[in-house]
């Protein structure tokens, strides 16, 4: 029923399915905590993978500093008090970024496919089923990762990485075809999301 309802909604069904599962444990009752529990778990996962990413890129001290600065920021507060799917998206985005960083940093290893690539495939698939904003977001991350790998002359690994992300996107379309319609019918919002990701403002047309 959640799947069918989300077809007519503005976003894919994963967050609503998780929320529905939690609410089903407590029938005929209502509490904001049914949704907050998703945000709390998402916050914990985000902090774990933020720390792990910083440790991989630098060291444990930097990891602790990053977690403290993000944990007390207005961005974190606004993300995790909002009872929508964005907390889940943020956590999965951090998980994707961690696996991408490890994959790139281990690009000198002979193994082309490893557990980090599997993690990238699974997490990207779940992101696409959480919000269509994740399509351009993952696209930008994929582009950056492939450019870095090509500069390192790891062409084969760049192709494998890009193909993995494409496969996860196609699987998400197969599982929930309506996500493509959502993406195309809300192109203005998608353009704004891409613009914010690139940290510039779209040109505004002023009618005289």
């Amino acid at each position: 029923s959640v799947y069918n309802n989300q077809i007519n909604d503005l976003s894919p069904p994963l967050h609503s399915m998780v929320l529905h599962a939690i609410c089903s444990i407590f029938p005929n009752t209502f509490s904001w905590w049914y949704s907050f529990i998703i945000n709390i778990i998402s916050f914990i996962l985000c902090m774990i993978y933020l720390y792990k990413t910083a440790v991989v890129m630098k060291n444990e001290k930097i990891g602790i500093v990053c977690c403290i600065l993000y944990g007390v920021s207005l961005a974190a507060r606004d993300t995790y008090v909002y009872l929508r799917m964005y907390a889940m998206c943020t956590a999965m985005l951090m998980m994707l970024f961690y696996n991408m960083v490890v994959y790139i940093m281990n690009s000198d290893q002979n193994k082309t496919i490893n557990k980090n690539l599997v993690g990238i495939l699974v997490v990207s698939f779940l992101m696409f089923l959480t919000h269509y904003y994740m399509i351009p977001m993952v696209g930008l991350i994929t582009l950056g990762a492939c450019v870095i790998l090509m500069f390192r002359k790891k062409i084969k690994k760049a192709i494998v990485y890009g193909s993995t992300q494409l496969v996860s996107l196609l699987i998400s379309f197969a599982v929930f075809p309506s996500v493509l319609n959502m993406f195309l019918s809300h192109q203005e919002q998608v353009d704004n999301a891409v613009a914010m990701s690139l940290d510039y403002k779209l040109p505004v047309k002023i009618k005289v």
Side-chain angles (χ1 to χ4, degrees), residues 118-133:
V118 175
I120 289 166
L121 174 66
V122 174
V123 173
S124 298
F125 167 71
L126 295 176
M127 290 171 69
F128 297 141
L129 290 184
T130 306
H131 204 297
Y132 59 85
Y133 280 178

Side-chain angles (χ1 to χ4, degrees), residues 15-138:
H15 179 269
S16 296
M17 285 179 168
V18 174
L19 180 58
H20 183 268
I22 295 173
C23 293
S24 298
I25 301 173
F26 309 97
N28 302 318
T29 61
F30 172 82
S31 174
W32 297 111
W33 289 103
Y34 299 159
S35 188
F36 271 123
I37 191 65
I38 299 175
N39 287 13
I40 292 171
I41 294 173
S42 296
F43 177 75
I44 294 171
L45 287 173
C46 183
M47 295 294 276
I48 290 172
Y49 279 91
L50 174 60
Y51 175 78
K52 287 165 66 75
T53 304
V55 170
V56 169
M57 297 182 71
K58 196 67 177 177
N59 55 52
E60 294 181 356
K61 290 182 179 179
I62 296 298
I64 294 173
V65 171
C66 288
C67 289
I68 292 174
L69 291 177
Y70 177 70
V72 300
S73 68
L74 293 178
R77 183 202 67 181
D78 292 345
T79 299
Y80 297 100
V81 299
Y82 191 37
L83 301 180
R84 291 282 285 162
M85 74 291 294
Y86 301 108
M88 183 183 287
C89 287
T90 303
M92 290 191 290
L93 186 63
M94 199 66 245
M95 295 168 70
L96 173 65
F97 192 72
Y98 166 76
N99 280 284
M100 180 202 72
V101 168
V102 175
Y103 183 78
I104 291 175
M105 294 186 71
N106 294 335
S107 60
D108 292 332
Q109 296 180 358
N110 293 328
K111 292 176 63 176
T112 304
I113 299 176
N114 56 27
K115 62 180 182 180
N116 296 109
L117 197 62
V118 175
I120 289 166
L121 174 66
V122 174
V123 173
S124 298
F125 167 71
L126 295 176
M127 290 171 69
F128 297 141
L129 290 184
T130 306
H131 204 297
Y132 59 85
Y133 280 178
M134 296 298 100
I135 296 176
M137 184 67 70
V138 172

Side-chain angles (χ1 to χ4, degrees), residues 100-195:
M100 180 202 72
V101 168
V102 175
Y103 183 78
I104 291 175
M105 294 186 71
N106 294 335
S107 60
D108 292 332
Q109 296 180 358
N110 293 328
K111 292 176 63 176
T112 304
I113 299 176
N114 56 27
K115 62 180 182 180
N116 296 109
L117 197 62
V118 175
I120 289 166
L121 174 66
V122 174
V123 173
S124 298
F125 167 71
L126 295 176
M127 290 171 69
F128 297 141
L129 290 184
T130 306
H131 204 297
Y132 59 85
Y133 280 178
M134 296 298 100
I135 296 176
M137 184 67 70
V138 172
L140 288 171
I141 294 174
T142 303
L143 176 62
C146 290
V147 168
I148 292 172
L149 287 168
M150 285 190 288
F151 269 113
R152 292 188 170 194
K153 298 181 180 180
K154 303 295 179 180
I155 307 299
K156 182 178 179 180
K157 291 202 171 186
I159 294 173
V160 170
Y161 186 97
S163 300
T164 299
Q165 296 287 40
L166 179 60
V167 168
S168 67
L169 180 62
L170 294 176
I171 294 175
S172 71
F173 287 163
V175 172
F176 190 71
S178 295
V179 69
L180 182 58
N181 294 329
M182 292 174 181
F183 176 75
L184 296 176
S185 61
H186 297 85
Q187 193 60 45
E188 183 178 351
Q189 291 94 319
V190 173
D191 290 341
N192 289 336
V194 174

